[in-house]
């Protein structure tokens, strides 16, 4: 447990919660890319520690079912990465929410999104290293392999978003910009999950790593829970962990019978 949170001080409500909440009182929400797995050069290149799905399943049982993945990925992809286990999940930045093990339906993409994808594919086809990730209800443009094109790629996405109008919003992240339904957010997904039976009345803990997680952090802060950002960058999260590896140490130890109080995350 040596790679724990940076020694930042929580505000009084969060610190008080950390001293009192026990494992059975926590609702745990986990981002995927950059949090449970290291960010890869392309979305298809991510690799998961194969100990992790089973550990999360054991931890979910210790938490009375109050564990959910909250990601920009589609729920089906999260299921594939976590197989054979299925977890409660909010995918596509909250546009998809699935409780239990059922399949999560995807609405048909709009014609406006089809038009956006065509423009993005044209850009990717003429610029080596640019990747279009079509998630049906949302679509992302990645330029991690072509960092010199960041300004041009972002300008394209801003124009497409303006052309589509208020039904979609532009979600920025690390070397990526994504068009998502305007009503979807990770914060909204966490709020909805906290109203469900397994989660209600618990103290929320949300761990993420990117701009896309900031509204989730804000939601958890407002509920006097614990918000943790993996790595650097400006954030409203009240605490940090150095890396996904540091988080793995905490989760694997907790799944193996160790305690997982909020106070655990404050230890250095």
């Amino acid at each position: 447990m040596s790679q724990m949170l940076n020694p930042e001080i929580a505000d009084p409500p969060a610190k008080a919660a950390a001293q009192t909440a026990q494992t059975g009182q926590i609702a745990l929400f986990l981002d995927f890319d950059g949090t449970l797995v290291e960010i890869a050069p392309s979305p298809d290149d991510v690799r998961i520690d194969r100990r992790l799905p089973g550990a999360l399943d054991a931890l979910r049982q210790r938490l009375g079912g109050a564990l959910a993945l909250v990601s920009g990925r589609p729920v089906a992809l999260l299921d594939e990465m976590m197989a054979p286990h299925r977890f409660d999940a909010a995918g596509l930045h909250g546009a998809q929410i699935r409780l239990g093990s059922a399949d999560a339906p995807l609405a048909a993409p709009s014609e406006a999104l089809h038009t956006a994808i065509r423009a993005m594919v044209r850009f990717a086809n003429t610029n080596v290293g640019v990747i279009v990730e079509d998630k049906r209800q949302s679509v992302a443009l990645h330029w991690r392999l072509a960092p010199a094109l960041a300004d041009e790629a972002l300008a394209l996405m801003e124009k497409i978003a303006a052309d589509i109008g208020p039904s979609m919003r532009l979600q920025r992240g690390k070397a990526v910009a994504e068009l998502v339904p305007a009503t979807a957010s990770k914060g909204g997904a966490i709020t909805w999950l906290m109203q469900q039976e397994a989660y209600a009345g618990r103290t929320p803990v949300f761990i993420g790593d990117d701009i896309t997680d900031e509204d989730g952090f804000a939601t958890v802060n407002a509920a006097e829970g614990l918000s943790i950002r993996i790595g650097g960058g400006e954030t409203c999260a009240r605490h940090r962990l150095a890396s996904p590896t540091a988080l793995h140490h905490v989760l694997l130890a907790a799944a193996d019978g160790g305690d997982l109080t909020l106070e655990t995350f404050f230890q250095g």
Side-chain angles (χ1 to χ4, degrees):
M1 294 266 184
S2 58
Q3 302 182 66
M4 301 296 288
L5 284 171
N6 294 346
E8 300 175 7
I9 303 301
D11 66 2
K15 190 171 183 180
Q19 293 170 342
T20 60
Q22 302 300 312
T23 304
Q25 298 171 316
I26 291 172
L28 184 59
F29 302 101
L30 298 163
D31 176 43
F32 185 73
D33 292 279
T35 300
L36 291 179
V37 297
E38 297 284 356
I39 292 178
S42 75
D44 292 336
D45 292 334
V46 298
R47 295 293 180 266
I48 191 166
D49 182 335
R50 293 320 306 173
R51 298 173 297 170
L52 200 57
L56 290 179
D57 184 58
L59 186 53
R60 170 175 57 182
Q61 295 178 46
R62 297 195 64 211
L63 295 173
L67 185 153
L69 308 178
V70 181
S71 171
R73 297 277 196 160
V75 170
L77 187 282
L78 298 175
D79 288 344
E80 180 181 327
M81 297 298 292
M82 293 292 173
H85 306 287
R86 283 193 172 195
F87 297 91
D88 292 349
L92 304 178
H93 305 283
Q96 263 187 310
I97 301 181
R98 191 269 308 284
L99 283 177
S101 60
D103 290 332
L106 270 175
S110 66
E111 182 55 40
L113 200 57
H114 279 307
T115 300
I117 291 169
R118 287 194 289 270
M120 294 161 66
V121 168
R122 284 195 297 271
F123 181 75
N125 286 344
T126 55
N127 291 282
V128 175
V130 176
I131 298 170
V132 177
E133 185 183 10
D134 181 2
K135 307 177 187 180
R136 288 194 63 191
Q137 284 181 271
S138 69
V139 58
L141 190 71
H142 298 262
W143 57 85
R144 182 169 298 276
L145 297 174
L149 294 170
D151 290 345
E152 191 175 350
L154 187 55
L156 171 67
M157 293 299 285
E158 288 173 342
K159 180 183 184 304
I160 290 173
D163 289 344
I164 289 177
S167 65
M168 304 289 287
R169 64 179 173 84
L170 190 61
Q171 175 75 67
R172 301 182 188 183
K174 296 174 180 175
V176 62
E178 183 170 355
L179 292 166
V180 300
T183 57
S185 73
K186 290 187 177 182
I190 290 171
T191 296
W192 186 86
L193 285 164
M194 286 298 297
Q195 296 169 356
Q196 308 311 305
E197 183 177 359
Y199 300 84
R202 293 170 176 259
T203 301
V205 177
F206 177 48
I207 307 175
D209 78 301
D210 203 350
I211 300 169
T212 59
D213 300 310
E214 289 298 315
D215 68 314
F217 295 146
T219 294
V220 167
N221 289 345
E224 299 184 356
L226 184 62
S227 53
I228 302 172
R229 177 156 172 155
I230 303 290
E234 281 190 40
T235 184
C236 69
R238 290 171 173 154
H239 298 274
R240 295 184 192 269
L241 275 166
S243 66
T245 299
L247 176 60
H248 291 176
H249 290 324
V250 177
L251 298 176
L252 291 171
D256 197 34
D259 206 2
L260 187 65
T261 66
L262 295 187
E263 192 172 11
T264 303
F265 290 100
F266 289 95
Q267 297 171 359

